[in-house]
């Protein structure tokens, strides 16, 4: 692999579009020196083959590092950076604890079972602790809140120096009757 090919490999790993087609349909390629400067600014030097290989090794290490926070939709299993088939402890937001075994997901990732309760939960896998933020696929809408009743609201724009705040008020008039027990 040439020195320039190694630089292109590092650039592609970080998400650069090294080769592309312009608006005229012509194939374009970013110059290796430009890629080196950009990667150097990202603290991934590629001035020599050894530096480029070190940068690739750093990217491999980053890829293996577990995320401290994973978001997941409620009721759906999800992949995370952990050892597949490893024993784990799931601690719900309310403190309830469950021992489980992670499954296998593509790409050498672990598969976590569906989390059924929205909230911030904790997953302990060996010495690794991951916070799981589980949320419903969509939030509660104004139609849900109104239960079929007509709702109204107002919007007020307030200008503060160079910043504009948009303050929204949603007001629903509901009569509540309290009957003595």
């Amino acid at each position: 692999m040439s020195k320039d090919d190694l630089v292109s490999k590092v650039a592609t790993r970080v998400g650069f579009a090294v080769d592309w087609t312009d608006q005229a349909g012509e194939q374009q390629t970013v110059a290796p020196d430009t890629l080196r400067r950009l990667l150097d600014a990202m603290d991934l030097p590629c001035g020599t083959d050894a530096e480029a290989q070190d940068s690739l090794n750093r990217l491999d290490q980053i890829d293996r590092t577990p995320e401290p926070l994973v978001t997941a939709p409620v009721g759906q299993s999800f992949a995370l950076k952990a050892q597949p088939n490893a024993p784990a402890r799931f601690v719900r937001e309310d403190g309830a604890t469950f021992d489980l075994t992670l499954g296998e997901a593509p790409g050498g990732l672990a598969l976590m079972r569906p989390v059924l309760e929205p909230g911030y939960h904790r997953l302990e896998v060996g010495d690794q602790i991951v916070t799981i933020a589980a949320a419903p696929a969509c939030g509660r809408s104004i139609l849900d809140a109104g239960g079929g009743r007509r709702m109204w609201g107002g919007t007020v724009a307030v200008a503060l120096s160079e910043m504009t705040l948009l303050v929204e008020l949603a007001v629903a008039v509901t009569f509540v009757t309290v009957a003595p027990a």
Side-chain angles (χ1 to χ4, degrees), residues 16-178:
F16 292 165
V18 176
D19 299 300
W20 79 96
T21 304
D22 68 15
Q23 77 280 1
E26 298 292 322
Q27 282 292 104
Q28 301 292 329
T29 300
V30 180
D33 286 339
T34 301
L35 294 173
R36 280 187 194 87
R37 283 189 222 112
L38 290 168
L39 292 166
D40 193 49
M42 296 175 66
D43 200 24
L44 293 167
C46 292
T48 65
D49 287 348
E51 285 180 338
Q53 191 58 54
D54 286 345
S55 292
L56 279 173
N57 292 341
R58 283 189 54 217
L59 292 171
D60 288 341
Q61 179 61 34
I62 290 168
D63 285 346
R64 287 190 300 270
T65 303
E67 301 95 350
L69 174 71
V70 174
T71 58
V74 168
Q76 294 181 24
S77 57
F78 57 94
L80 69 149
K81 292 180 186 176
Q83 180 65 40
N85 300 313
R89 173 166 286 160
F90 178 69
V91 182
R92 277 194 332 216
E93 188 175 59
D94 64 7
T97 302
F98 305 90
D99 291 323
L100 54 97
T101 301
L102 297 173
E104 284 188 56
L109 300 174
L111 185 68
M112 175 61 183
R113 70 159 183 88
V115 176
L116 302 178
E117 306 80 15
Y120 288 93
H121 311 292
R122 190 173 73 239
L123 182 67
E124 301 168 358
V125 185
D127 61 351
Q128 173 186 347
I129 297 176
V130 178
T131 299
I132 299 170
C138 65
R140 189 171 174 189
S141 73
I142 193 74
L143 293 173
D144 295 334
R149 294 175 309 202
R150 294 181 58 109
M151 305 288 286
W152 65 272
T155 302
V156 179
V158 180
L160 300 175
S161 63
E162 296 177 11
M163 184 173 86
T164 301
L165 290 176
L166 183 63
V167 180
E168 292 188 42
L169 298 174
V171 180
V173 179
T174 306
F175 294 96
V176 178
T177 305
V178 178

